[in-house]
Amino acid sequence: MFKSFSNRVVVIAIIISVLSGCATFQLSDLFQGYNSQMQPVKLAQRQGDFLKAQNLLGERDQSNNTYVLSLLERGRLQFLAADWPTSQKTFAQAYVQVEEQRNKAKIQISKGIEKLGAVVSNDNATSYEVPYYEQSMLHSYQALNYLFQNDLSGALVEIRRANLVQEAALKAYKDEIYKAQNELHNSGMSTDSLQGGYPSMDSAIGKVKNGFQNAFTFYLSGVLYEASGELNDAYIDFKRAIEIYPENHYLQQDVLRLASKLGMQDDLVSFQQRFGKYQARESKGKGQVVVLVERGIVNSKQDIGLNLPVGRSNNGFKFFSFSLPVYEGALPQHNKLIFNSAGESYQSNEIVRIQSLAAKDLKDQLPILLTRQVVRVVAKEQVRQKLSREAGDVGNILASIYNIASEKADTRSWSTLPDQVDIVRMDVPVGKQILQVQVNGQQKNIEVDVLPNRITLINFSVIGSYTGHQAINL
């Protein structure tokens, strides 16, 4: 009996010593997925109770490996609550964390302790690395924070940062994917192993070509450059946006209008061949109203368990249990919103599907995730065998229970982002106007004060039962 008790003490001591090297995460992160933790937060968000949602987030210390993600979630909820100064400070803190991650990656600072934690537990023991599409949204919302505090120059700084993120992503994309696929091959696996067991994310990915090019960020950039009189820069970013969303009617009109205004005759001919002849509209006595329409909340990653072979054909295969994140199901369908003003109707057009960017980013990350999984399951099996030898059946049973309980997929992602963003651009008579829009069977009125030859920007949110808006004259 004493021997059995001592064996238990040995096993528990080993597990505790292992976890002590992973002190940068909460035990709830180890045994409960991030998606589960965020469910009550997202419920409060859908109800429009953003203060409650913030309280449900809880506090994470700066040393916590999900700290930067908690800042993103909190900054987004503060933005929705129209607390722009506080949201600005929170996003600024998140940006500092992202920059620190980038600098560490450049000089290859060792993550030995984090890697040890991930090997003996799961990927939740590693610091959350903010993907490119989330970085561009960070800067986009920070730009809006500045705008709603009447700071156009500050907003332009953030927009430039957002564009730099997309440029850096484009340069790194192919190299990162190639390296990840090679590492996975060297581990004795390939993504072909997932066929038949891992759900396809193609329906969630839709038409996007990569997980970082964001037409919404480019469009917002173009609008702000246009408002500041930098028409060439605006034209460049509208062209970037339309290469991603060529079917967007408002983008088509923007590139046609600026190509004509800037005398870009070759471009104008090309665009007219694609989108039809440009017809200038009467602008006298009118201003422009641009509406950014946020739709829903992005889905959270889910945890899926698989039994997959590890090894090479010449040495034989062995099956292990894996837990991987996945975006399941098809994209939710959002009806186009119709805005009415001065006897004319304008239909919202999609400019980004954040759910698709998230799913594509995850699909591209699968080789990296699988490589870490192979290392982890093999290491856990070695630990189990060692404990079985040293502590007998007790060690074997407890180690097996721990391995099963701790094998959780990393379901972390910025979960309070909108699922989709639409845009509307309309010419509206100068003066105080009321825009009407039907949402969830109810008519909503948006009061705006339109200035001549100026842009009025509206951020309109439709999230569950909540609708809200903010407006600013640029």
Side-chain angles (χ1 to χ4, degrees):
M1 180 176 178
F2 177 78
K3 182 178 179 181
S4 175
F5 175 77
S6 64
N7 287 343
R8 289 187 178 91
V9 171
V10 168
V11 173
I12 293 170
I14 291 173
I15 292 175
I16 290 175
S17 67
V18 163
L19 292 178
S20 68
C22 320
T24 58
F25 67 92
Q26 302 169 352
L27 282 178
S28 60
D29 297 331
L30 180 60
F31 296 109
Q32 183 186 20
Y34 185 78
N35 56 348
S36 298
Q37 297 177 42
M38 285 298 295
Q39 285 180 2
V41 177
K42 296 176 77 169
L43 177 60
Q45 183 184 3
R46 288 189 179 93
Q47 296 168 343
D49 194 341
F50 305 122
L51 181 58
K52 179 180 179 181
Q54 291 175 56
N55 292 333
L56 288 169
L57 274 177
E59 296 291 338
R60 290 182 184 266
D61 186 81
Q62 189 169 346
S63 63
N64 186 280
N65 58 15
T66 307
Y67 176 64
V68 65
L69 180 54
S70 70
L71 292 174
L72 295 175
E73 307 283 20
R74 191 171 299 278
R76 164 70 173 152
L77 293 170
Q78 291 163 342
F79 172 83
L80 287 170
D83 188 357
W84 303 304
T86 306
S87 177
Q88 178 188 328
K89 292 178 182 177
T90 302
F91 281 141
Q93 290 176 286
Y95 176 61
V96 169
Q97 296 295 312
V98 171
E99 286 298 289
E100 286 183 1
Q101 284 184 355
R102 184 178 293 116
N103 292 332
K104 287 179 181 178
K106 284 181 180 177
I107 59 178
Q108 297 296 310
I109 288 180
S110 172
K111 291 188 176 181
I113 292 178
E114 281 192 359
K115 288 179 179 178
L116 172 62
V119 166
V120 298
S121 55
N122 55 55
D123 279 352
N124 294 286
T126 63
S127 291
Y128 182 73
E129 295 186 9
V130 183
Y132 292 119
Y133 80 92
E134 291 184 358
Q135 292 182 40
S136 66
M137 292 305 295
L138 157 64
H139 294 300
S140 297
Y141 280 119
Q142 189 70 307
L144 291 173
N145 277 329
Y146 278 108
L147 284 181
F148 293 130
Q149 297 174 83
N150 297 297
D151 186 351
L152 178 58
S153 61
L156 287 170
V157 170
E158 291 301 323
I159 283 301
R160 292 185 186 102
R161 286 174 173 170
N163 288 344
L164 287 174
V165 166
Q166 298 201 64
E167 290 171 11
L170 191 60
K171 291 178 182 177
Y173 177 67
K174 289 184 179 179
D175 288 342
E176 289 180 354
I177 297 300
Y178 178 76
K179 180 181 178 182
Q181 289 174 341
N182 274 349
E183 289 181 353
L184 178 61
H185 175 74
N186 293 336
S187 73
M189 284 193 72
S190 74
T191 51
D192 292 340
S193 305
L194 298 176
Q195 291 183 0
Y198 187 82
S200 171
M201 293 189 289
D202 289 346
S203 59
I205 292 170
K207 299 178 181 179
V208 301
K209 297 177 181 178
N210 55 57
F212 54 84
Q213 286 192 305
N214 187 336
F216 164 68
T217 296
F218 286 137
Y219 184 75
L220 179 60
S221 176
V223 170
L224 299 192
Y225 280 132
E226 187 176 1
S228 65
E230 302 172 65
L231 297 187
N232 282 294
D233 290 331
Y235 181 55
I236 289 170
D237 282 340
F238 284 147
K239 287 203 300 180
R240 288 172 168 173
I242 204 163
E243 291 308 312
I244 304 172
Y245 267 83
E247 68 277 12
N248 187 293
H249 168 73
Y250 300 108
L251 276 176
Q252 293 173 7
Q253 294 305 303
D254 284 329
V255 294
L256 286 168
R257 174 173 51 81
L258 286 185
S260 176
K261 191 169 187 176
L262 294 171
M264 304 291 187
Q265 292 304 316
D266 290 344
D267 282 3
L268 183 59
V269 170
S270 175
F271 284 136
Q272 287 186 139
Q273 290 174 346
R274 294 171 63 186
F275 309 131
K277 186 173 178 60
Y278 172 62
Q279 295 181 339
R281 301 185 65 174
E282 177 59 51
S283 61
K284 186 177 180 180
K286 293 184 177 181
Q288 291 77 50
V289 174
V290 173
V291 188
L292 311 176
V293 186
E294 301 181 315
R295 313 294 303 273
I297 308 177
V298 68
N299 287 337
S300 296
K301 295 175 183 173
Q302 302 301 315
D303 187 323
I304 184 170
L306 301 171
N307 287 318
L308 300 176
V310 176
R312 299 191 181 280
S313 57
N314 55 340
N315 294 325
F317 293 96
K318 185 171 183 178
F319 280 81
F320 289 91
S321 295
F322 287 74
S323 289
L324 291 170
V326 66
Y327 286 106
E328 292 188 290
L331 292 170
Q333 296 302 308
H334 302 286
N335 295 328
K336 293 180 181 294
L337 296 185
I338 307 296
F339 289 78
N340 296 298
S341 172
E344 294 196 50
S345 297
Y346 302 84
Q347 191 177 70
S348 68
N349 279 201
E350 180 182 318
I351 192 69
V352 69
R353 198 66 192 253
I354 295 175
Q355 184 68 71
S356 294
L357 295 181
K360 178 59 175 169
D361 178 76
L362 176 56
K363 184 175 182 179
D364 290 342
Q365 294 297 317
L366 280 177
I368 298 173
L369 299 178
L370 273 173
T371 301
R372 289 203 295 263
Q373 284 275 26
V374 171
V375 173
R376 176 160 52 250
V377 296
V378 172
K380 283 183 174 182
E381 175 63 14
Q382 291 173 345
V383 170
R384 185 198 64 77
Q385 292 177 5
K386 178 178 175 60
L387 291 178
S388 179
R389 290 193 301 268
E390 296 181 359
D393 292 339
V394 173
N396 183 38
I397 293 171
L398 290 181
S400 297
I401 291 173
Y402 171 77
N403 287 349
I404 294 171
S406 64
E407 190 54 43
K408 297 290 183 184
D410 184 358
T411 55
R412 291 176 295 178
S413 65
W414 191 353
S415 300
T416 51
L417 284 172
D419 170 52
Q420 175 178 311
V421 180
D422 295 354
I423 59 171
V424 177
R425 183 162 184 155
M426 59 190 93
D427 294 320
V428 179
V430 169
K432 295 187 182 299
Q433 305 290 341
I434 295 180
L435 309 181
Q436 297 177 331
V437 58
Q438 288 285 331
V439 181
N440 297 329
Q442 296 183 336
Q443 179 175 295
K444 301 292 181 181
N445 294 332
I446 304 174
E447 295 183 8
V448 292
D449 189 5
V450 180
L451 301 179
N453 298 314
R454 293 272 298 277
I455 296 174
T456 299
L457 182 70
I458 301 171
N459 191 76
F460 188 71
S461 301
V462 182
I463 305 170
S465 60
Y466 168 81
T467 59
H469 72 274
Q470 300 85 31
I472 184 75
N473 289 316
L474 302 180

